[in-house]
Amino acid sequence: AKQGVEADGVEFYSEDMNQGMQERMRIESGLRQALGNGQLTLHYQPKFAIADGRLIGAEALVRWTHPQRGLIPPAEFIPLAEATGLVVQLGEWVLEAACAQAQAWKLAGVQPIRVAVNVSAREFTPALPARVADTLQRYGLEPAWLELEITESTLMHNIDRVIGIMDRITAQGVTLSLDDFGTGYSSLSYLKRFPIDTLKIDRSFTTGIPNDANDCAIASTIISIAQQLKHKVIAEGVETPEQLGFLQRSGCDEVQGYLFSKPLPAEEFERALRERSWAQ
Ligand code: C2E
Ligand code: MG
Ligand code: MG
Ligand code: MG
């Protein structure tokens, strides 16, 4: 009987794996189709200067509305898109959509804001700077209105090549920020060589403020690293006035989080802009 249970267990396990693989293949082909059929959209989350509450930009975050499964969060499909390489096409779609939106806002006369686009390590190739320049030009956008958020995983291989790509992006006037800072493994000795505008304190550290002494220490340390290296620093995932207070006292420049706004569909974001819902 015991053997039977084990055999069942093994069978169940492999069936499970099989289902996992099938599920991934379904998501992958679904995502491939989603790139062309309007199931992807961008939501926009505002970023603010702590000193005066001024709106300084918005992060574009991709959303996938699946006809049967509803909203699938990026955490479920971005890693898969990265593993399969599909993230390159996804990234092209995101840059295109963000620039189209920025142009629409510009033409509609709404206050111009810098839009930040997340870029995966696999998209960070020597072809990226020209693609960025071409896209900006096609939409008639000033480079200063685009920011690219990259993660530490982008910086892990072939540093000189990465710096070359970064330089060709920032030379255009597009800014770079280092997302999820402190969660990956980046070398501080390289950090000073990167032409980066802003460090983003990861939400996992912000969450522990003000009660977790370690998270507070890490956040303060990231802020002083940024200050020493003459970078700006933004905290993501700010949800409470206590977190905001701590960050303000610690010298953080900018904030982003549910305390101010969740990521919003473009129409809602535009309405908030027009109604000046956010303190200027
Ligand atoms: P990220 O770039 O670090 O984005 C921040 C995430 O934190 C977003 O999750 C945002 O909705 C969420 N967030 C912001 N403020 C708060 C808060 O106060 N509380 C909580 N609980 N969450 C907050 P989202 O949109 O689910 O995206 C998750 C990740 O997926 C992003 O992390 C980014 O790494 C990736 N991602 C999203 N859109 C894109 C994209 O267009 N391209 C690429 N390559 N990656 C993307
Ligand atoms: Mg980001
Ligand atoms: Mg982030
Ligand atoms: Mg994050």
Side-chain angles (χ1 to χ4, degrees), residues 198-212:
T198 308
L199 293 185
K200 294 195 81 172
I201 301 173
D202 190 62
R203 180 159 66 84
S204 61
F205 304 125
T206 310
T207 304
I209 298 171
N211 297 322
D212 185 307

Side-chain angles (χ1 to χ4, degrees), residues 7-260:
D8 276 357
V10 167
E11 220 173 87
F12 179 72
Y13 182 65
S14 63
E15 210 172 82
D16 221 39
M17 275 201 335
N18 225 325
Q19 276 177 4
M21 233 156 72
Q22 280 179 11
E23 173 72 358
R24 281 179 41 183
M25 282 166 64
R26 258 202 303 275
I27 295 183
E28 191 195 339
S29 72
L31 185 57
R32 208 176 281 281
Q33 289 165 18
L35 284 166
N37 67 10
Q39 289 172 15
L40 296 182
T41 49
L42 292 179
H43 283 196
Y44 297 85
Q45 186 179 39
K47 303 180 180 188
F48 300 93
I50 290 192
D52 53 7
R54 190 170 37 93
L55 177 74
I56 48 130
E59 178 172 4
L61 293 153
V62 71
R63 297 290 178 259
W64 179 13
T65 314
H66 191 277
Q68 279 88 47
R69 303 168 40 150
L71 198 74
I72 306 177
E76 269 178 47
F77 63 89
I78 296 282
L80 188 83
E82 281 171 342
T84 57
L86 200 56
V87 77
V88 174
Q89 282 106 291
L90 179 82
E92 285 174 11
W93 183 89
V94 171
L95 182 65
E96 199 75 23
C99 288
Q101 186 59 66
Q103 184 194 46
W105 281 332
K106 187 180 166 183
L107 296 178
V110 296
Q111 161 196 5
I113 47 144
R114 176 183 291 168
V115 175
V117 168
N118 291 283
V119 174
S120 290
R122 289 189 70 155
E123 296 176 68
F124 212 77
T125 67
L128 183 63
R131 183 157 67 77
V132 167
D134 170 70
T135 310
L136 288 168
Q137 207 205 341
R138 272 188 291 111
Y139 287 100
L141 296 171
E142 301 284 324
W145 298 109
L146 180 67
E147 173 181 346
L148 301 181
E149 297 193 3
I150 60 177
T151 58
E152 288 167 291
S153 56
T154 308
L155 316 175
M156 273 169 49
H157 306 290
N158 203 338
I159 285 300
D160 291 319
R161 184 177 109 135
V162 166
I163 291 177
I165 299 170
M166 287 177 152
D167 284 338
R168 286 171 53 216
I169 290 170
T170 56
Q172 300 172 32
V174 173
T175 51
L176 292 174
S177 54
L178 198 44
D179 207 351
D180 303 341
F181 185 71
T183 61
Y185 110 110
S186 61
S187 155
L188 295 178
S189 65
Y190 288 140
L191 191 56
K192 66 177 182 197
R193 295 180 53 200
F194 297 136
I196 271 171
D197 191 64
T198 308
L199 293 185
K200 294 195 81 172
I201 301 173
D202 190 62
R203 180 159 66 84
S204 61
F205 304 125
T206 310
T207 304
I209 298 171
N211 297 322
D212 185 307
N214 290 331
D215 286 343
C216 290
I218 292 169
S220 316
T221 302
I222 294 176
I223 292 167
S224 54
I225 289 173
Q227 287 171 341
Q228 301 288 324
L229 295 178
K230 311 263 185 297
H231 298 321
K232 280 183 293 171
V233 55
I234 182 167
E236 65 176 19
V238 178
E239 295 185 353
T240 69
E242 290 75 23
Q243 290 167 348
L244 176 61
F246 176 90
L247 292 161
Q248 188 160 29
R249 288 191 301 279
S250 308
C252 190
D253 301 301
E254 299 165 359
V255 278
Q256 180 183 356
Y258 292 177
L259 178 61
F260 315 97

